[in-house]
Amino acid sequence: MTTPAAPAASRIPEAVHRRRWAILGVLMLSLLIVVLDNSILNVAIKTISTPAPTGLGATQSELEWAINSYTLVFAGLLFTAGLLGDRIGRKKVLIGGLVVFGVGSALAAESGSPVQLVAFRAIMGLGAAFVMPATLAVLMNVFEREEQPKAIGIWAGGVGLAIAIGPITGGLLLDHFWWGSVFLVNVPIVIIAVVLMFALVPDSRDPKPGRIDLVGVLLSIVGLVLLVYGIIKGGDEGDFTSPQVLATIVAGLVVLIGFVIHEKRSDHPSIDIGYFRNKVFSAAIGAIALVFFALMGVTFFSVFYTQSVRGYSPLQTGALMLPLAVAQLIFAPRARLVVDRIGVRATTTGGLVLLAGMLAAFTALDADTPIWILEIIFFLMGTGMAHVMTPTSVVIMQALPREKAGSASALSNTFRQVGGALGIAVLGSVLSTAYRGGIEDKLGQLPPGLRDTAGASIEATLGVAEKLGPRGQALVGPANDAFLHAMHVTALWGAAVALISAVLTGLFLPGRAPAAPAGQSDAQEKVGAGR
């Protein structure tokens, strides 16, 4: 029984082992910055959409791009970020990413137009791409296998903490400062994280790294940008059959297919396509992508529901979203205990079914529904998410060798971010199309140019109504009704996607947590067994 312990002890120095929990705290602070920014932005969406000087007057499409410019750069560069971390050292990559993220945050805070905000958010995405995979890769290298599920559970709980802090912080900042303060707040956190990183976190790397696949990176970025741009454009125009929209979407899909073909033939791929022959690995990756597709798309419209339809302030909206975050914070670290009792498959599938049910429950929400019902929905959504994120993250990270931790983390985060980006694009487009269809016949008395502007979103309609004064009040009721209908349609789409993910995990995830392997190479054998 003592034989396997010796190599494990020699692989992780005793000094590192002793401070592993402090290191986890620093990693969570780095993670906090990345997640905090997106959760803050969700609360600030309505403020940024209002005309200057309060906001930037951003349209729904521009708001989607402010989110998607970040996630597209993030997702497109995660492959490279993971490989660079494995090659030159995860600590170096992590610190560099934090610095770039901090600079992008400072620039975003001073944006003078929606276009500038989109560009500076892309810089933030560049920095975040080097932060996120490195945190999980370092975690896998300072904890032994038997402690990794617990550490990953706490790491996932950090996401819940960031989601909890973000909306409240964003609401407080928007109540007292200008909208750019929601980005500027990242800068002091970055400084603290970098100092602690230098002091506590050890460096690690893959002793046999591969070359950087520049062609693969370029293909993935171009393919994703074309695909998501086409989807957003279709939502803006309310027509997914126009030649321009179809051509852009098809071009994106063709480039992404070319990316897969290139990766299969390359002798130094960004991503080893062979990993996906392992059904367990593929199911876990797919579950993460689909669940974030559903969750991010629905979260996008929930802010408009609470602020535009219900009239709550940004701070109040942040407080209303607390149950979702608190549930993740409570249950993510404890999900491993449920896995120990009933297995990965039942835990993850149950979490996805619960999430699908709560997304469908949005169809019961109306303009005067008691707000405590929304709070219960949010709490149960967070509970479902916690029982999906932790088990799937453990499965993905333990499926590959420790030396490939950066690549495994990059894969996990890439699919999560791509899923979230596509969720915002697709479900945002569904919301936009459904809203436009519901409000168009109520805008007949407006001039043609103003009619098109007013039909873009509920904020645009309410903005036109406010400018028209008493005559515009007749638009408020129809705008709320059209938005509620669009929200119900979008929520059902999200619920359907979550159910598809539940079927996927129910078919392919293991019935119980995999037993710890006797040696380091077992992870490779697991992947190889699925080939």
Side-chain angles (χ1 to χ4, degrees):
M1 297 299 292
T2 57
T3 305
S10 63
R11 189 168 60 244
I12 299 179
E14 180 59 30
V16 173
H17 182 74
R18 283 199 304 269
R19 65 176 188 266
R20 64 195 185 283
W21 297 108
I23 292 170
L24 177 59
V26 179
L27 297 176
M28 288 179 63
L29 182 61
S30 303
L31 175 71
L32 179 75
I33 302 169
V34 176
V35 181
L36 180 75
D37 177 73
N38 281 324
S39 59
I40 284 181
L41 182 59
N42 284 337
V43 175
I45 282 174
K46 182 178 182 296
T47 304
I48 295 173
S49 70
T50 57
T54 303
L56 292 176
T59 65
Q60 180 167 313
S61 174
E62 289 168 336
L63 289 173
E64 290 178 4
W65 271 110
I67 297 172
N68 283 328
S69 65
Y70 175 97
T71 53
L72 283 177
V73 173
F74 187 14
L77 292 177
L78 275 169
F79 297 133
T80 303
L83 289 171
L84 275 177
D86 290 343
R87 183 183 184 89
I88 67 174
R90 288 127 190 175
K91 179 178 179 177
K92 297 183 184 71
V93 165
L94 185 48
I95 291 174
L98 285 171
V99 171
V100 172
F101 186 86
V103 171
S105 297
L107 292 172
E110 298 299 328
S111 299
S113 69
V115 173
Q116 288 184 2
L117 178 61
V118 170
F120 294 142
R121 286 277 296 166
I123 294 175
M124 293 172 67
L126 172 64
F130 289 87
V131 172
M132 183 69 87
T135 61
L136 202 48
V138 171
L139 181 155
M140 297 298 290
N141 276 276
V142 298
F143 284 91
E144 296 294 355
R145 186 180 179 92
E146 61 272 12
E147 282 190 322
Q148 286 171 2
K150 180 179 181 181
I152 290 175
I154 296 172
W155 181 87
V159 176
L161 178 63
I163 295 174
I165 295 173
I168 295 295
T169 304
L172 287 170
L173 290 170
L174 291 172
D175 272 3
H176 295 90
F177 304 101
W178 92 115
W179 65 266
S181 62
V182 301
F183 299 110
L184 197 61
V185 72
N186 294 329
V187 177
I189 304 176
V190 164
I191 294 172
I192 294 171
V194 168
V195 171
L196 291 175
M197 199 74 59
F198 274 113
L200 291 173
V201 176
D203 209 352
S204 62
R205 67 185 71 191
D206 184 349
K208 297 179 180 179
R211 289 183 291 151
I212 301 301
D213 178 21
L214 295 178
V215 175
V217 170
L218 180 63
L219 288 173
S220 65
I221 293 174
V222 171
L224 288 169
V225 169
L226 287 172
L227 177 62
V228 176
Y229 178 79
I231 292 170
I232 293 175
K233 187 72 173 175
D236 278 350
E237 297 180 357
D239 181 13
F240 283 88
T241 62
S242 73
Q244 183 182 3
V245 170
L246 282 177
T248 307
I249 292 175
V250 170
L253 291 173
V254 169
V255 173
L256 289 175
I257 291 171
F259 166 73
V260 173
I261 294 172
H262 169 77
E263 295 299 291
K264 291 179 70 174
R265 295 179 176 177
S266 175
D267 58 357
H268 57 285
S270 295
I271 172 177
D272 187 345
I273 301 298
Y275 291 151
F276 291 93
R277 295 172 186 164
N278 182 333
K279 294 179 181 179
V280 172
F281 181 83
S282 297
I285 285 280
I288 283 182
L290 290 175
V291 77
F292 270 85
F293 179 100
L295 188 69
M296 291 298 292
V298 172
T299 303
F300 183 77
F301 70 63
S302 66
V303 173
F304 289 100
Y305 171 70
T306 54
Q307 294 188 39
S308 299
V309 176
R310 303 301 297 263
Y312 289 102
S313 69
L315 178 57
Q316 290 170 326
T317 296
L320 289 174
M321 296 179 70
L322 270 176
L324 188 150
V326 170
Q328 289 192 59
L329 187 60
I330 291 172
F331 293 112
R334 294 170 173 81
R336 63 186 176 85
L337 303 176
V338 182
V339 171
D340 290 343
R341 182 178 293 272
I342 65 174
V344 175
R345 180 192 302 147
T347 302
T348 306
T349 304
L352 286 166
V353 170
L354 177 60
L355 179 62
M358 291 307 100
L359 293 175
F362 269 91
T363 59
L365 298 180
D366 213 333
D368 55 0
T369 302
I371 203 64
W372 60 265
I373 294 178
L374 178 64
E375 299 298 87
I376 292 175
I377 291 173
F378 275 151
F379 184 82
L380 293 177
M381 282 177 65
T383 303
M385 278 294 297
H387 290 88
V388 175
M389 281 299 297
T390 300
T392 53
S393 295
V394 171
V395 166
I396 292 166
M397 295 304 296
Q398 292 190 343
L400 303 186
R402 184 189 292 260
E403 287 78 10
K404 302 296 182 183
S407 301
S409 179
L411 279 174
S412 174
N413 285 291
T414 296
F415 275 79
R416 183 175 69 183
Q417 292 300 320
V418 170
L422 291 177
I424 291 170
V426 174
L427 297 185
S429 297
V430 170
L431 180 73
S432 177
T433 302
Y435 179 79
R436 188 184 295 272
I439 197 66
E440 268 183 339
D441 61 344
K442 306 296 191 301
L443 304 175
Q445 296 182 351
L446 297 178
L450 195 59
R451 189 185 313 156
D452 186 63
T453 300
S457 66
I458 184 172
E459 278 303 307
T461 307
L462 295 178
V464 169
E466 186 176 355
K467 289 179 181 178
L468 292 175
R471 292 189 302 119
Q473 287 303 305
L475 291 176
V476 174
N480 287 341
D481 291 341
F483 178 82
L484 287 169
H485 170 70
M487 181 181 77
H488 295 162
V489 171
T490 308
L492 289 176
W493 275 61
V497 171
L499 283 177
I500 292 171
S501 184
V503 172
L504 185 70
T505 59
L507 289 174
F508 298 114
L509 285 189
R512 63 176 64 185
Q520 176 99 356
S521 63
D522 284 20
Q524 290 171 306
E525 291 170 5
K526 283 184 182 181
V527 175
R531 297 185 179 185

